[in-house]
Amino acid sequence: MTTRVVVALLLVSSTAIAEDKYERPVKAVANLVDAPPIPSTSLGPDRSTLLLITARNFPSIAEVAEPELRLAGLRINPKNYAQSRRGFAQKLELVDTRAANAVPRPISGIPDGARIGDVAWAPDGALLAFTITTDTAIEPWIVDVKAATAKRQAQVALSGGVGAPCQWAPDSKSLVCRTVPRGAKPPVVTSNVPTGPIVQENEGTKKPTRTNPDLLQNPSDEKLFEHYLTSQLVRLGLDGTETPIGKPALFLGAQPSPDGKALLVVQVHRPFSYRVTLGNFPLRTDVWTADGKPVATIGDLRLAEDVPVDFDAVRTGRRGVSWRADAPATACWVEAQDGGDVKKPAAIRDTLDCAAAPYNRPVRIASLALRYRGVQWGTGALALVTEAWWKDRKTRTWIVAPDDQKQAARVLWDRSSEDRYSDPGSPVMRREPNGQWVLNVTSKGHLLLDGDGASAEGDRPFLDRLDLATGKSERIWRSEGTKYASVREVLDRDGNEVVLSRESPTEPPQLYAHSFAAKKERQLTKFAHPVPELAKVGKQLIKWKRKDGLELSGMLYLPPGFQPKRDRPLPVLVWVYPQEFKSAAAASQVNDSPYRFVYPFWGGPLFALTQGYAVVDDPSFAIIGEGKTEPNDTYVEQLTADASSMIDHVVGLGVGDRDRFAVAGHSYGAFTTANLLAHTDLFRTGIARSGAYNRTLTPFGFQSEERTYWEAAATYDRMSPFRYADKIDEPLLLIHGAADNNPGTYPIQTERLFGAMQGLGGRVRYVQLPAESHGYRAKESALHVLWEQVRWLDTHVKKAKPRAQARQR
């Protein structure tokens, strides 16, 4: 046996066959994995410097398979105190937005192969902070923007088990960081012999919980959790000085106040839980002085094991504590008034309160009939507070005056959250000199709004000017119909100068400095197409009607050169992920745009285009339940109608061969794939990746289903393809990460469906990917998945005998 990691490939027979290598697909498919990533961008606070961040797309399987600790929902690399499954950048570059010919400047001093993360501008824009994660530590680094040079900031090891380890001080002269205490040593497990049983008990209190992975299991886990989350707060000066703040504790964050004179410090503490993850552990939030002296305790949330599973259920106590962005040092928080229980009648669900020093005289900012969703601070006379309710998809935004309690709140928007066509957009925010983000109020007292601009022809982003007095918007700009463009940044207070992103199906997104007044623009980026072959594919928005008259839509992709009616119909891959709606009108709305760039994402369906297939990506398979009707009560019937009408339309276009359709999906799309094979004969085969197939294993809700199994047993059973494994008479390829950490999609879900189909004589293949989680990260894994998918589709679709002949076997 070689030293390479073994990929377990469980075949149709009862014998498990181990292969000693990862496979690689043909070059045209592998190009999707090998393609250089297009950089993301971040505009500096002075709006004259653009940062280009090139992602590090694929680590090796050796890196992905490094040891990790799974503690209370966290996954931590014990060697460097970092999150074990985070993404990194590989390159940073700077672009002068004012230059006539913008040319990227590489930042020197960064070691080759560095794993770059946590990139953050200093509030004054003169510096950038970032981290480099090595095999043994997370290091703090600083970039001098003018010189485009980087250097390590201090010889400390940062603690990165949860969240970004450092925050800039408002004066841009220091960083507040969580560091690994010097001399800290992991607890030693001296014996694996248990000292007694692990006992959990419940005495009549309802404590429902959705399926959570990576929970604490025993006292040893508790000790490890405490060790790897314990950190020392340190202020790192630009001169390399290290000033400890307080004593080591289980810190989750330390946020400097807008004036820099205080810290909002969040700590987790005992008692811990074996039933819920870190987010429901006891959390205490304190105000400290900048040098670490306690001032006040804002909130101390108790262990929350009894939060209902309903979507708008929340824990009791002061939650979501944060600084008010437009005030020097005012702490704000939200508190449920209904016990956090959505089933309990209540005129007021949540309240938003704020308090300045000494933090013992809170002021009521808003009383909300729905659940709090967020606040955008502007001035003492203006803030926007949003509330929403999942059950009926209602969302409402209020205009409030934080410093004037006599001024009544008034409604700005009251609408359905699933109605994309009526979305007014989001307020543009601007960064203050201290780094805080506040509402961008124009010289005339208006707000700027940018949005997707959803419409029946596809998304057409816009920039509007909102008159707060009347609530009416004036359109400044809208994306043209032949290309897709959006406002990436607003450069001036009144919205006259912006940075636009513009793309087409054949051209990657490029940035332009654009002046509406002068009607001129200057190109800032010139990114090359990462996979030129995809520039030749066809892309179009298609629409069709379900048998009940509901209009649906999706994106159709065609191989280069294919012409319907002229050429023979193609085999078709349909990539699915259904969505639940409370109204038929919302379900009919078009999502996305036919003019967006065909990005070469390896994990979707576009690989099939290189092999002569047509692709229908993310068709709007709508599951509707209006009024008091729940969408999932007719899930199978609606799903069947969605798929049948879509196939009829694609065949009618002259694109698809009705006898050669395949269906595939990831996660809930995998669940959908298995259901379509179990309940229809529409598809020749299916590919189901990292799905859940037995809903009795997720008895306290899943996806958008809030009811428990005991409240809707018939629905759970009807929706479980495991229950109908004997009806899956088409070949099914199952793929799952062996270390899946997504709630509800434990690998046992795939193992049990494979076992059922195997026992029943079904045609099924199960590929388990070692060390992979819900999404697959290693380059070897990505290439192997593509190899499996191409081979499976060619065998069971492209080269398959006509269905009538196949069924005579």
Side-chain angles (χ1 to χ4, degrees), residues 483-619:
K483 287 192 175 183
Y484 180 89
S486 62
V487 173
R488 187 70 64 86
E489 303 281 354
V490 175
L491 298 178
D492 71 311
R493 197 155 194 152
D494 289 331
N496 296 316
E497 307 283 337
V498 300
V499 173
L500 286 181
S501 173
R502 186 177 294 115
E503 62 193 90
S504 74
T506 60
E507 301 166 317
Q510 307 289 358
L511 297 186
Y512 301 82
H514 186 94
S515 170
F516 293 125
K519 297 182 179 179
K520 293 182 179 180
E521 67 180 21
R522 188 172 64 259
Q523 187 167 352
L524 301 177
T525 62
K526 296 179 181 179
F527 302 133
H529 198 302
V531 183
E533 297 90 338
L534 286 185
K536 301 175 183 179
V537 305
K539 179 181 180 182
Q540 66 184 84
L541 175 69
I542 57 173
K543 298 180 182 180
W544 64 93
K545 287 188 177 181
R546 206 165 71 174
K547 62 182 180 181
D548 59 1
L550 180 72
E551 187 171 79
L552 302 174
S553 61
M555 211 61 69
L556 174 65
Y557 296 86
L558 300 174
F562 176 81
Q563 291 187 23
K565 307 297 184 183
R566 184 198 71 180
D567 300 327
R568 294 181 61 183
L570 298 171
V572 181
L573 175 61
V574 183
W575 199 266
V576 296
Y577 199 98
Q579 185 177 348
E580 299 85 349
F581 293 91
K582 291 302 293 181
S583 76
S588 289
Q589 293 182 354
V590 173
N591 190 20
D592 205 356
S593 166
Y595 303 113
R596 300 210 70 167
F597 177 58
V598 182
Y599 193 87
F601 173 54
W602 77 270
L606 298 186
F607 72 93
L609 290 167
T610 70
Q611 302 304 297
Y613 295 81
V615 167
V616 181
D617 189 20
D618 196 22

Side-chain angles (χ1 to χ4, degrees), residues 123-252:
D124 65 5
L127 301 171
L128 276 166
F130 66 95
T131 62
I132 290 180
T133 300
T134 70
D135 289 341
T136 58
I138 306 174
E139 304 169 350
W141 283 66
I142 293 288
V143 173
D144 181 318
V145 173
K146 184 176 181 180
T149 58
K151 67 177 182 178
R152 184 169 177 177
Q153 178 62 12
Q155 297 300 312
V156 296
L158 301 177
S159 177
V162 55
C166 295
Q167 302 285 336
W168 277 104
D171 62 4
S172 301
K173 294 181 179 179
S174 65
L175 291 158
V176 176
C177 300
R178 301 193 314 274
T179 65
V180 178
R182 294 187 185 276
K185 294 183 178 180
V188 177
V189 179
T190 58
S191 174
N192 290 322
V193 178
T195 59
I198 306 299
V199 178
Q200 299 184 65
E201 185 176 1
N202 192 63
E203 296 188 6
T205 303
K206 287 187 177 181
K207 296 181 179 180
T209 181
R210 294 200 175 196
T211 47
N212 290 312
D214 302 341
L215 299 176
L216 299 181
Q217 300 291 326
N218 50 51
S220 294
D221 278 357
E222 295 185 54
K223 292 178 182 179
L224 290 169
F225 175 79
E226 283 190 306
H227 173 78
Y228 285 99
L229 254 69
T230 295
S231 60
Q232 171 68 59
L233 296 181
V234 172
R235 187 177 297 277
L236 301 181
L238 298 182
D239 57 359
T241 56
E242 307 168 26
T243 306
I245 304 172
K247 296 181 179 180
L250 276 72
F251 296 115
L252 298 186

